[in-house]
Amino acid sequence: MSYKALLLATAATLAITGTAIAADPPMIIDEPIIDNTFDWNGFYLGINGGILSEASGTYPSIGIDFGWNWAESDILFGIEGDLDWYVTAGEFTGELQGRIGGVFDPAVLYVDGGIGGVSNGVVYGFIGAGVEFAVADNMSLGLQADLLGTGRRA
C-alpha cells in the first residue's frame, strides 16, 4: 500500500468516526444533589434523662417527651410535654412548655418556658435554654437546662 493510499484511508476513517461521535455526543452525568438538611417539622416522641439539683439533694430522672415542631425558614417553634420519674425521690412530674429557636443545621438552639407539676401537688413555672443535634433522619440528641421557679401547692 502506498503512502498516499494509507493517508487517504486514515483520513476517511477519521471522517467517518468523527461523524459517528458527532451524532452521539458523550453523555454528561450530573452529580446527585444531596440534601443534608434535617427536617425539624412535625410530631416527635422520645426518651429523656436528667438530674434535678436542689438544696435537699440531687435526683436523677428518666421519662418520655412528646411534642410538635414547625420551622419557618430558620426559626423553629415548638410545644412539648414530658412525664418524668425522679427515681430516688419517688416523685413524678409533668411539664408543658413552648420553645422558640434558630435552626443551624444540623443543630437547633432554643429558649423555652412553661409550667410543671409534681405528684405531691406542687405546681411551678420554669424558663431555660437548650441545644439539639440531628444525628440521623429521625433521631436527635439534646441538652437542656431549666431554672425552676418556686413551686406552690395546687
Side-chain angles (χ1 to χ4, degrees):
M1 181 181 256
S2 73
Y3 179 71
K4 286 184 180 180
L6 181 61
L7 185 60
L8 184 59
T10 304
T13 303
L14 288 175
I16 293 170
T17 306
T19 304
I21 291 174
D24 297 320
M27 294 182 62
I28 298 173
I29 300 173
D30 291 331
E31 292 292 322
I33 297 172
I34 299 172
D35 185 8
N36 288 330
T37 59
F38 186 78
D39 185 6
W40 293 97
N41 290 296
F43 175 78
Y44 62 91
L45 175 68
I47 59 173
N48 68 55
I51 296 175
L52 172 65
S53 182
E54 59 184 13
S56 62
T58 300
Y59 308 100
S61 71
I62 188 166
I64 62 168
D65 50 29
F66 48 90
W68 187 269
N69 287 326
W70 61 97
E72 294 290 331
S73 185
D74 291 335
I75 306 295
L76 180 88
F77 303 92
I79 186 163
E80 179 178 292
D82 61 60
L83 300 170
D84 300 302
W85 178 48
Y86 285 86
V87 181
T88 56
E91 297 282 348
F92 286 94
T93 65
E95 295 178 342
L96 182 63
Q97 63 188 359
R99 67 179 179 169
I100 184 170
V103 177
F104 306 95
D105 272 333
V108 171
L109 298 172
Y110 61 89
V111 294
D112 69 342
I115 188 167
V118 183
S119 57
N120 66 8
V122 174
V123 177
Y124 58 91
F126 63 92
I127 57 171
V131 60
E132 201 166 328
F133 294 96
V135 294
D137 283 342
N138 293 316
M139 180 185 284
S140 65
L141 295 174
L143 182 63
Q144 178 176 319
D146 291 326
L147 177 62
L148 305 180
T150 304
R152 297 180 187 258
R153 286 211 181 266

